[in-house]
Amino acid sequence: MSDKQKLTEKLVQEARKGSPTSLRSLLYYLLAVVYVVSPLDFVPDVLPGLGQMDDAAVIIGIIIYVVRLLKQKK
C-alpha cells in the first residue's frame, strides 16, 4: 500500500470519529485533489512547466499542512 493510500485511509478513519482537525484535513486533501484534476487552474496547464508547477505547489502545500495537523494531534 502506498503512502498516499495510507494517508487517505487515516484521514477518513479519523474524520469518521468526528475529529474537527481530521475533518478539516480531509476537506483540504480532497480540495487539492479536485484542484489538480480540474481543468480550471490559476496558471493554465498549456503553459509548459508553469501549469504543472502550480498543481505541484498545491499538492505539496496540502500534504505538508495535513501531516503537521496529524502530528499535532498525536
Side-chain angles (χ1 to χ4, degrees):
M1 184 180 297
S2 74
D3 290 338
K4 292 176 191 175
Q5 288 172 325
K6 289 178 185 176
L7 175 61
T8 303
E9 284 184 17
K10 184 172 182 176
L11 286 172
V12 171
Q13 288 172 358
E14 291 294 318
R16 285 183 180 163
K17 293 178 184 176
S19 168
T21 302
S22 294
L23 288 171
R24 188 174 6 149
S25 299
L26 182 61
L27 176 65
Y28 289 154
Y29 180 77
L30 293 174
L31 287 174
V33 170
V34 169
Y35 176 79
V36 170
V37 174
S38 170
L40 302 174
D41 284 333
F42 291 119
V43 180
D45 288 339
V46 295
L47 298 172
L50 292 177
Q52 290 76 22
M53 286 180 66
D54 76 320
D55 291 345
V58 168
I59 292 171
I60 291 168
I62 293 298
I63 289 173
I64 290 170
Y65 176 77
V66 168
V67 167
R68 285 183 183 165
L69 279 178
L70 293 175
K71 283 183 179 178
Q72 287 176 357
K73 191 171 188 271
K74 286 184 180 181

